[in-house]
Amino acid sequence: MRPFDYHRATAPDDAARAAASGGTFIAGGTNLVDLMKLEVMAPERLVDITRLDMRGIEETGDGGLRIGALVSNTDLANDARVRRDWPVLSRALLSGATQQLRNKATTGGNLLQRTRCLYFYDRAMPCNKREPGSGCGAMEGFNRILAVLGTSDHCIATHPSDMAVAMMALGAEVEIARAGGNTERLPLDDLYLLPGDTPERETVLAPGDLITAVILPAPVAGRQSYRKVRDRASYAFALVSVAAVVAVEDGKVARADLAFGGLAPKPWRDKDVEAALLGQPPSEALFDKAADILLAKAQGHGANDFKIPLARRVLSAVLTELTEGAAA
């Protein structure tokens, strides 16, 4: 690990100033410290934000929740309101890591996890995300866990978060304290960037921008599910995951909020898939049509070709689960 300066922030604006001039935020450190040990990331300065007042979970005026960026994954998953009204989020968090990691990992940090692509972690291999212009070793290499949607010729890495997939399906927003002093809220979907020809840029955050909270909208009617398919049951990253909130009224789909993990460089939501389901009676043929729309532009790269039919089966299984008994 290379030498670095350390700054303990006393307020959000102090943190923003310290990070804007070349610093990297650290809270739980469950991802960043590993990357520093491997010298994949070598920040000149760490800005410790663990003393900031961002650990509360508060109800909003419209029935939602404001979740501080430093709320641990354990506290969020076990919050009685989350378990009751947003169970898809609790299930996603509990599927994501061991108890020890959940105790340290934070809400903001979870959203900003770096990819687990083997070529990103191996400094002896080419990786445009780690070293722009060096190439993508995964294209012709071992890419079993990598993306089939939203990729480019420069990068096929996947986003690893389970929590972010559930929050995407729930329509969460992110509260950001900008380095210039203003605060902004934006949909979670707008936080992330697809790789294009700049895979090193993963979010819209500028240096010094600090995620201070995540806002969940009020709970909606319907059944919720998070299904994660992985190589082993013990806390592996998703090959394919689906977070879903589905409601059926009068024998027809009245709501379908869906997000997918393990398929793309960001938590993936396709409104065309949801629109195809609305107003239709649940059926195997309808679920196949939704999968056709989801996977129309999917592209495998050899070892990850299996993800395309797997995503079809997982989506159908989730929709069948959530509409069963409600179609009559």
Side-chain angles (χ1 to χ4, degrees), residues 4 63 168 196 293:
F4 57 87
M168 187 78 81
I293 296 170

Side-chain angles (χ1 to χ4, degrees), residues 93-130:
L93 284 162
L94 292 172
S95 75
T98 64
Q99 180 72 55
Q100 293 91 333
L101 283 173
R102 290 199 304 270
N103 289 345
K104 293 292 292 182
T106 62
T107 298
N110 192 308
L111 294 178
L112 300 178
Q113 289 182 77
R114 307 299 301 276
T115 183
R116 266 44 177 204
C117 175
L118 299 176
Y119 297 88
F120 175 68
Y121 271 73
D122 187 348
R123 294 175 61 241
M125 302 301 293
C127 172
N128 287 319
K129 187 179 289 293
R130 188 187 65 249

Side-chain angles (χ1 to χ4, degrees), residues 218-290:
V220 297
R223 299 176 178 176
Q224 301 183 21
S225 179
Y226 185 74
R227 184 170 297 203
K228 178 178 180 179
V229 178
R230 44 194 166 179
D231 281 326
R232 65 181 190 276
S234 180
Y235 303 115
F237 293 100
L239 296 172
V240 175
S241 65
V242 180
V245 182
V246 177
V248 177
E249 297 177 4
D250 299 324
K252 297 180 180 180
V253 178
R255 186 177 199 95
D257 300 332
L258 306 169
F260 302 85
L263 295 178
K266 59 184 280 187
W268 193 258
R269 188 167 184 180
D270 187 332
K271 294 297 184 70
D272 290 339
V273 175
E274 299 171 8
L277 294 167
L278 295 179
Q280 302 299 316
S283 68
E284 183 177 346
L286 178 65
F287 303 158
D288 281 343
K289 178 182 177 181

Side-chain angles (χ1 to χ4, degrees), residues 60-71:
T60 62
D62 61 357
L65 286 183
R66 182 183 184 276
I67 303 161
L70 293 180
V71 172

Side-chain angles (χ1 to χ4, degrees), residues 26-33 48-50 55 70 103-106 109:
I26 186 168
T30 56
N31 187 202
L32 175 59
V33 172
D48 185 345
I49 61 173
T50 57
R55 297 186 184 277
L70 293 180
N103 289 345
K104 293 292 292 182
T106 62

